[in-house]
Amino acid sequence: MSESVSRLPVAVIGAGPVGLAAAAHLVARGLPVIVYEAGDTVGAHVRAWGHVQLFSPWEFNIDPAARAFLEIQGWEMPPSQEYPTGHELVDRYLVPLAATPELARVIETGAWVTALSRKNADKVASRDRKKRPFVLTVRDKDGRIRRDLARAVIDASGTWATPNPLGADGLPADGEVALTDRITTGIPDVLGRHRGSYAGRTTLVVGAGHSAANVLLDLAQLAEEVEGTTLLWATRGTDLSRVYGGGAADQLAARGDLGLRLQALVESGRVRLIQGFAVTAVRADEIGLRVNGETACGPHTLGPVDRIVTATGQRPDLSLTRELRLELDPWLESVRALGPLIDPNLHSCGSVPPHGHRELAHPEPGFYTAGIKSYGRAPTFLMMTGYEQVRSIAAALAGDLVAADAVQLVLPETGVCSTSRGTESGSGACCGGPALSGVDACCADDATAKAATGMGCACSPTPKPEPKTSSCCGRAA
């Protein structure tokens, strides 16, 4: 790297928890840095789900370098075992951090980085590539476009702004785009500012992760408060072990409790669960929305419902880095080295081995993907992972490879860890909900589901009788 390039700042994209932690570590090492935040404030993506309580307590959500800058200003750490909401994380941590003298001068809000490349070299050009600075196309809050230069780039822009669609094939379902006014992505504030859209109405939640769990539990509470509020839950798969979790075996108690409460909600019959349902289309008629899907036994339609919540996860925005040389996992779109460790097709664990600058680098020298974006489409990221990632990256950029390579990360175990997601539990075969106690309860649930939905186990309206040794839908008990 030429001397002129080395004097340029490190560009950090995104002023969320991981982006601000990256800035804190870089500033602490005396490196020039500029943080670009597309939102009007820091933590803009967190604000979008600010009503949700995190399942990790404060002790796991504060970066050490950030805490050092805060404490110089007299900041006091919140009680370590309390669980903040997203709004509290922003108001009590990110906003004060961004206001510290060390960080306030390096953060630009309303600055949307729309593209990245090397100065005067597209993706194809190899000659002297490493010596060229990065060039960032930036649109500021007034709509003006400029080009900034940087010696290195840490992309911590996250994935929240690019949710997966409703369609099971990764494409928008037929009719989905035209009905966006009645289809919500993410985690709507059902009990707060969005209450009027769900109270007294029927809502279908699609997805099998923690976002879906939060929405369903809020809807269940709303149903207790407002008559006529009903909820359906559809999942593409039939193995719900990841969302139900390890219960008391989960080292994050709130995460385990979330799964237990959701499972109890299903078993009580307060939510209708339809498993093995792959959404293909959505259409509206005079009664409501009807959702078409494929099941193991052929096409089926759900509805009518008033609203749909798509909680099917997020994906990284790859358009930003089209002119850079990236190496990504072919299907997760994560950093390639992480793919085999976090692939949800193979693992239900909530942990990943320690990893740092070497695993997060790309064939493009000086470019790193960090935070949840480094996991691509995988759903198992924890904030503390991102903090250790950017600590290592900052050390590497400062030339301290000993510290950069000394990566240490111990994540709380989920209490669930299967090595083959293709092996599904018998309890997951009952579309009326997991078995309450043994096969008879399973079949009772199945009968309830048939009466309510006209289908059993997301299959035939007229099931064939099964031996008592089998669970519903012919799966071995």
Side-chain angles (χ1 to χ4, degrees), residues 55-56 83 210 213 217 241-264 412-416:
F55 49 63
S56 54
Y83 294 84
H210 293 115
L217 290 167
S241 60
R242 185 173 63 83
V243 64
Y244 284 163
D250 195 317
Q251 292 179 1
L252 285 178
R255 181 172 60 190
D257 180 65
L258 183 73
L260 287 174
R261 289 191 293 136
L262 177 62
Q263 188 168 6
E413 295 291 340
T414 64
V416 177

Side-chain angles (χ1 to χ4, degrees), residues 294-338:
E294 294 288 340
T295 73
C297 301
H300 189 80
T301 299
L302 299 178
V305 300
D306 299 301
R307 296 195 65 83
I308 299 170
V309 176
T310 306
T312 52
Q314 293 81 35
R315 60 182 63 179
D317 178 8
L318 301 181
S319 64
L320 176 68
T321 51
R322 184 169 185 178
E323 288 304 319
L324 297 183
R325 297 177 174 183
L326 268 59
E327 191 169 48
L328 302 174
D329 182 87
W331 45 90
L332 293 183
E333 298 175 339
S334 66
V335 176
R336 179 140 196 162
L338 296 185

